[in-house]
Amino acid sequence: RIESVDSRFRGVRKRNPHKYSATAGANVHTQLDAPNLLSWLQDTCGAQPYNLKVRIGDTDTPGGRGLLAEEDLLPDEVILSIPMSATLVEAGDRVDNTKESTDDRECMPWSARMAFRILQGLSQPPLDGTTSGDQWRRPWLNELPKVHTPPFQFSEAELSEIQDPATEKEARFLRGMAIDTFQVYEEALSDMGLTADDYFGALSVCHSRCFRFGEQVQHLMTPGIDMANHSLEPNAAVRYQVEPSQGVEAVLEVSDSVEIQRMFQLRAGEEGITAGTEITISYGSWPNDVFFLLFGFCPDHNENDSVVLFRDLAHLVESYAMLCDAGDQIIDKKKQMDLLVEMLGANPRLSILGDGVDGELSAALGYLLQSNMRLKRCPQPTQVLKARCLEMLAEFPTSIEDDTILLQTDQAKSDSEHMTIRYRRNKKTILKDAIACM
């Protein structure tokens, strides 16, 4: 499981077909201030190259819109290069709680701060001839999508349909964060004519579109590049580039006036990209939990998807002990758990994948087997795994067959329902396949 708000929001975002704009208040500007986002990036932000070979258009991917190659792109060719100055940046969550602050907003999670900035940029009048504030970003901000994610847009009934207590718990944790931070911003948002729904929508956009960058974690939303959709087989990648890219130190030795330009670049993959093809990137090698919770979609055939079998090490040790026949021996569960914590840390991900067992779970089961060999009977790792998989399958309110019928007969009335059913069916399929291999 992903342990903290900050560590959840790695990777990049998914593009949905509907634009995101705050529309609740009369003061909100919703019309584009520039006719073409890519032209605006070049003219206002200094995006390169001068002769772009891409356009924004409709795609066949779940995102609905994305970047399309208008001409053939060579391997490693720069498709789009965006100056760091054009990105929307927030530092990671504050960890120094000893420093007093009179402004609660300074202690907000990064995504709360960024969401508020987006809404300010959309709601306040443009400042002509200046790049102070975020109003100048409006041609881009107006293009941000509506992203429908479980933590912020799902109803209580929709959350219960996830059928995964751990994932549902994470969704509720994030929702609690959203409610708490909204209360801090509520008065300022009300003055802009905005509601909680506007704020939650902006939070979803932040969580689904940001890169996590640098040793001192920064969260970046990069205009233009953030139009690239996710693929399990991407044909492009994102790179951080310092220009001039070669001999920076040598140049600085002879001239202290050289301008160092830091760029985010979208580059073609090693096979290049054919004209007419959608340009895609990887959002990361995540299980479907992350895509579902934060990006608002659920990839099919994701080899990185997994199922957490045990909540924590205490749950694993207890489950193992229940399958043992100790005879006249005593199983020291606390000692075994303490040693596992020392070996694997306090919060290992005890999961199975589509093609095997996670390394941490495998190591834990191997240790438990060796530690309990003196018992009258101690189960083999495969016995423990099979018993837990069967137990989890029995706990689901619906079966794989039930979920398949719901999808095939269009009983899933909304995109959210459809995504949720596919998410939980994938989990059940992993469990079923694991049992078949044991």
Side-chain angles (χ1 to χ4, degrees):
R1 284 288 151 190
I2 304 167
E3 299 171 48
S4 69
V5 171
D6 196 60
S7 65
R8 275 190 189 89
F9 308 148
R10 298 175 185 158
V12 289
R13 34 65 58 209
K14 166 178 183 284
R15 177 73 180 175
N16 277 338
H18 305 293
K19 294 178 182 178
Y20 172 77
S21 57
T23 56
N27 295 327
V28 174
H29 300 261
T30 57
Q31 293 192 354
L32 288 175
D33 296 324
N36 185 293
L37 177 60
L38 295 178
S39 295
W40 175 81
L41 285 172
Q42 289 181 307
D43 298 341
T44 304
C45 304
Q48 302 170 6
Y50 178 75
N51 295 316
L52 292 177
K53 298 180 181 180
V54 296
R55 64 179 175 87
I56 297 170
D58 295 334
T59 68
D60 294 330
T61 56
R65 293 184 74 207
L67 291 175
L68 297 169
E70 289 206 297
E71 301 178 29
D72 290 346
L73 294 161
L74 298 174
D76 201 40
E77 181 173 350
V78 175
I79 302 169
L80 190 58
S81 187
I82 305 295
M84 282 286 287
S85 58
T87 63
L88 193 62
V89 183
E90 280 293 341
D93 293 345
R94 180 174 158 182
V95 295
D96 181 9
N97 295 319
T98 62
K99 189 176 180 180
E100 294 185 3
S101 173
T102 58
D103 188 351
D104 287 342
R105 300 180 194 180
E106 293 183 7
C107 302
M108 291 291 98
W110 70 269
S111 54
R113 285 180 266 127
M114 184 178 285
F116 185 69
R117 286 178 61 187
I118 289 173
L119 294 174
Q120 279 186 315
L122 283 166
S123 302
Q124 295 179 351
L127 300 175
D128 294 334
T130 179
T131 56
S132 62
D134 292 301
Q135 298 95 313
W136 69 277
R137 305 179 192 273
R138 185 167 297 145
W140 167 47
L141 298 179
N142 271 314
E143 284 293 298
L144 295 179
K146 284 185 177 180
V147 182
H148 199 80
T149 60
F152 308 120
Q153 280 77 36
F154 272 32
S155 66
E156 286 298 314
E158 287 175 321
L159 284 178
S160 66
E161 288 299 316
I162 295 173
Q163 298 183 3
D164 184 329
T167 301
E168 187 177 334
K169 181 180 178 181
E170 287 184 4
R172 293 185 187 281
F173 171 78
L174 288 169
R175 177 172 292 183
M177 180 273 290
I179 293 171
D180 290 344
T181 56
F182 170 73
Q183 292 172 352
V184 175
Y185 289 122
E186 185 172 10
E187 183 176 350
L189 290 169
S190 179
D191 289 343
M192 291 186 277
L194 302 176
T195 67
D197 285 343
D198 295 307
Y199 177 66
F200 295 161
L203 279 175
S204 288
V205 167
C206 295
H207 292 174
S208 63
R209 294 179 79 84
C210 279
F211 294 87
R212 193 174 188 267
F213 176 75
E215 294 181 2
Q216 298 180 349
V217 178
Q218 291 182 311
H219 300 271
L220 311 178
M221 198 182 296
T222 308
I225 292 177
D226 67 355
M227 294 296 301
N229 283 313
H230 169 76
S231 173
L232 295 173
E233 297 180 348
N235 56 20
V238 178
R239 299 283 184 268
Y240 175 64
Q241 180 75 27
V242 177
E243 297 182 350
S245 59
Q246 296 180 354
V248 172
E249 293 183 2
V251 173
L252 289 175
E253 287 180 3
V254 298
S255 174
D256 57 7
S257 62
V258 63
E259 182 179 353
I260 304 301
Q261 181 74 285
R262 291 171 170 80
M263 313 287 285
F264 254 81
Q265 294 185 339
L266 180 65
R267 288 176 173 264
E270 60 184 18
E271 296 182 3
I273 302 173
T274 304
T277 304
E278 181 182 5
I279 297 165
T280 58
I281 60 176
S282 170
Y283 294 3
S285 301
W286 302 111
N288 278 359
D289 309 51
V290 177
F291 292 111
F292 178 69
L293 282 171
L294 301 184
F295 300 131
F297 70 102
C298 184
D300 289 322
H301 314 298
N302 179 9
E303 64 180 13
N304 298 299
D305 199 13
S306 62
V307 176
V308 175
L309 293 187
F310 302 96
R311 295 185 301 274
D312 49 34
L313 289 170
H315 183 204
L316 170 62
V317 172
E318 186 65 37
S319 298
Y320 191 89
M322 290 179 65
L323 295 174
C324 291
D325 184 351
D328 58 358
Q329 301 289 320
I330 296 176
I331 302 175
D332 191 340
K333 291 183 284 189
K334 183 180 184 308
K335 180 181 178 181
Q336 292 183 9
M337 195 188 82
D338 289 344
L339 287 171
L340 282 173
V341 169
E342 184 177 335
M343 181 172 68
L344 300 174
N347 296 295
R349 186 177 172 88
L350 304 173
S351 61
I352 56 170
L353 294 80
D355 59 355
V357 182
D358 181 83
E360 292 179 319
L361 177 55
S362 180
L365 288 170
Y367 165 78
L368 289 172
L369 177 63
Q370 293 298 319
S371 299
N372 292 286
M373 292 294 288
R374 71 187 189 285
L375 302 181
K376 184 177 180 181
R377 180 176 62 83
C378 58
Q380 295 293 315
T382 53
Q383 293 175 290
V384 179
L385 293 172
K386 185 173 183 178
R388 179 56 182 153
C389 288
L390 288 168
E391 181 182 29
M392 290 186 69
L393 277 176
E395 290 172 351
F396 282 111
T398 61
S399 66
I400 295 174
E401 293 72 24
D402 294 333
D403 291 341
T404 300
I405 291 172
L406 289 173
L407 293 172
Q408 291 179 344
T409 57
D410 292 328
Q411 294 184 52
K413 297 181 177 60
S414 67
D415 290 342
S416 297
E417 288 182 79
H418 197 276
M419 176 177 66
T420 301
I421 294 170
R422 285 175 46 238
Y423 169 79
R424 73 194 191 204
R425 186 180 66 170
N426 288 344
K427 299 297 181 183
K428 297 167 191 175
T429 300
I430 292 175
L431 292 169
K432 182 180 178 181
D433 290 348
I435 292 169
C437 294
M438 294 176 193

